[in-house]
Each structure stands twice: as C-alpha cells, then as structure tokens.
C-alpha cells in the first residue's frame, strides 16, 4: 500500500511510519518544516513539505494522488492557542479530507481524541481543541466518498506499548501508549471492514489484531 500521513512528524505518526515501512508499505509524511525531513527518512517515510494551514486543496490532492489510504494525524500541538486549534485540528482536517476526495483516495483514517464533540462547552484552550476535533470528525462522517474510520484514543503516554488494548465504540476514559495507538492504526489500514466506525481506544487485555477484527465483525 501507499499511505500518506498528514502531520508526518507527530509522535504517533513517526511510530506509525516505522511500522508501515517495516511491513513493506510505501509511506509519505506531510510536514511543514524541512528540518524534520531526516527524522521521517529515519522512520522509513518519504518527507513531503506541505503546510496544511496555507496549501490549497489541489496542492494537497497532488500529494495524495496514487495513494491507497490517507491518515490525518496532524495537530496544532501543546502550547498552541485556540485559533490554531481551529485552523489545524479542524481546518486542516477538513482540507485533507477534501483533498483525499479530489484525489480519489477512499480509505481515510482520522486520529481524533476521546471527548471530541462539536457541542463541547468551555472557554479553555482544551475545550476549543475538543470542539475543533468534534467538528472535524462530524465533517468526515458526512462524506459518502470516503471509507472513513475515526480513532479516539484516551490519555496518550510514552510508556512502551503492550500490544494489548480495549477498542470499542465506547471504552470509558483511560490511558494508552502512543506505541499501541500506532499499532492499532496500522491494523485499521489493513481492515477495510472498519469503515464507518468511530472507535475509542485505551489500554486493555485484547491483542491489537484481535481487537480490530472484533470491531470489524470478524
């Protein structure tokens, strides 16, 4: 498969790139900083300079042409203000989905957040983040031209992955290592029967491949 990842230098994205490259997939990661290119190459991915806050739909679609799947893993990141939560966590997600449709890439996976909700209340930056992610998810779910899956991990940690997770429509809150989030994403990319599902993810007791097959109905 050829897979294009938005937010290619993110902590989950780099882990995912390593997993996909190791299994023989061709991976490209969109980044906005040329200084990040070496990290992507080290992970086995092709770095592609593209700023999703300023690029046009056509420009992003060119990077997606010929891909088998697209993964939105970009985010404004810690320390960003509410305005950038809107331009990146919502706006860039919508742009990337528009570009995937234009490029004819049906398989589309979103790394969202537990608690994402367009109607979330509150005035803090994290509240704005949850609204932005919720609005982006709602936009993607309305698209018939995409075979989308939305993954909403719990509290992300840098603990070593265990390969054991709980993956369901609703899991309740809990932590999950970024390693295990990446492993679930890699499995979702190979499991088209998860299209149309919004899934929550926390650490658990079920092996990743079994958990993904279970939600896919296999």
């Amino acid at each position: 498969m050829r897979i294009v990842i938005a937010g290619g230098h993110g902590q989950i994205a780099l882990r995912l790139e390593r997993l996909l490259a190791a299994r023989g997939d061709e991976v490209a990661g969109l980044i906005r900083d040329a200084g990040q290119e070496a990290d992507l190459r080290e992970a086995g991915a092709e770095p592609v300079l593209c700023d999703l806050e300023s690029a046009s739909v056509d420009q992003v679609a060119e990077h997606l042409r010929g891909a088998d799947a697209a993964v939105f893993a970009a985010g404004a990141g810690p320390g960003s203000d509410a305005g950038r939560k809107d331009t990146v966590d919502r706006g860039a997600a919508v742009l990337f989905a528009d570009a995937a449709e234009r490029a004819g890439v049906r398989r589309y996976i979103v790394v969202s957040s537990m608690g994402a909700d367009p109607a979330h209340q509150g005035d803090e930056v994290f509240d704005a983040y949850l609204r932005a992610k919720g609005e982006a998810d709602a936009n993607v779910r309305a698209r018939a031209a995409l075979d989308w899956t939305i993954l909403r991990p719990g509290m992300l940690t840098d603990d070593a992955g265990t390969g054991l997770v709980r993956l369901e429509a609703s899991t309740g809150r809990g932590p999950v290592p970024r390693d295990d989030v990446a492993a679930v994403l890699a499995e979702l990319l190979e499991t088209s029967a998860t299209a149309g599902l919004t899934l929550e993810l926390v650490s658990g007791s079920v092996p990743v491949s079994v958990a993904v097959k279970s939600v896919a109905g296999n």
Side-chain angles (χ1 to χ4, degrees), residues 28-174:
L30 303 189
I31 54 174
R32 55 186 296 169
D33 180 357
Q36 299 170 343
E37 290 180 350
D39 290 339
L40 267 74
R41 291 195 181 97
E42 186 275 329
E46 169 198 350
V48 177
L49 280 175
C50 178
D51 185 348
L52 291 173
E53 288 183 274
S54 60
S56 69
V57 173
D58 284 336
Q59 287 170 328
V60 180
E62 282 302 309
H63 298 310
L64 282 161
R65 292 200 193 284
D68 299 292
V71 178
F72 185 81
S80 57
D81 61 18
R84 291 205 68 230
K85 302 301 185 192
D86 183 68
T87 58
V88 179
D89 293 287
R90 184 201 57 78
V94 171
L95 174 74
F96 198 57
D98 287 341
E101 286 191 356
R102 191 159 300 185
V105 180
R106 289 200 63 92
R107 189 69 174 118
Y108 190 87
I109 296 180
V110 177
V111 183
S112 184
S113 175
M114 193 173 291
D117 181 354
H120 180 83
Q121 299 297 306
D123 300 321
E124 301 297 323
V125 172
F126 190 67
D127 299 319
Y129 167 76
L130 291 177
R131 280 193 296 274
K133 295 297 281 186
E135 288 166 6
D137 291 355
N139 181 282
V140 168
R141 283 197 297 247
R143 295 173 184 259
L146 297 180
D147 295 328
W148 54 265
T149 303
I150 294 170
L151 183 66
R152 292 178 166 176
M155 185 183 70
L156 299 171
T157 75
D158 289 325
D159 297 338
T162 66
L164 299 173
V165 299
R166 183 178 178 191
L167 179 70
E168 298 171 12
S170 179
T171 61
R173 296 191 176 277

Side-chain angles (χ1 to χ4, degrees), residues 185-201:
L185 290 168
E187 197 74 23
L188 289 172
L189 282 163
E190 290 200 315
T191 313
S192 59
T194 58
L197 300 179
T198 300
L199 301 167
E200 294 185 350
L201 172 67

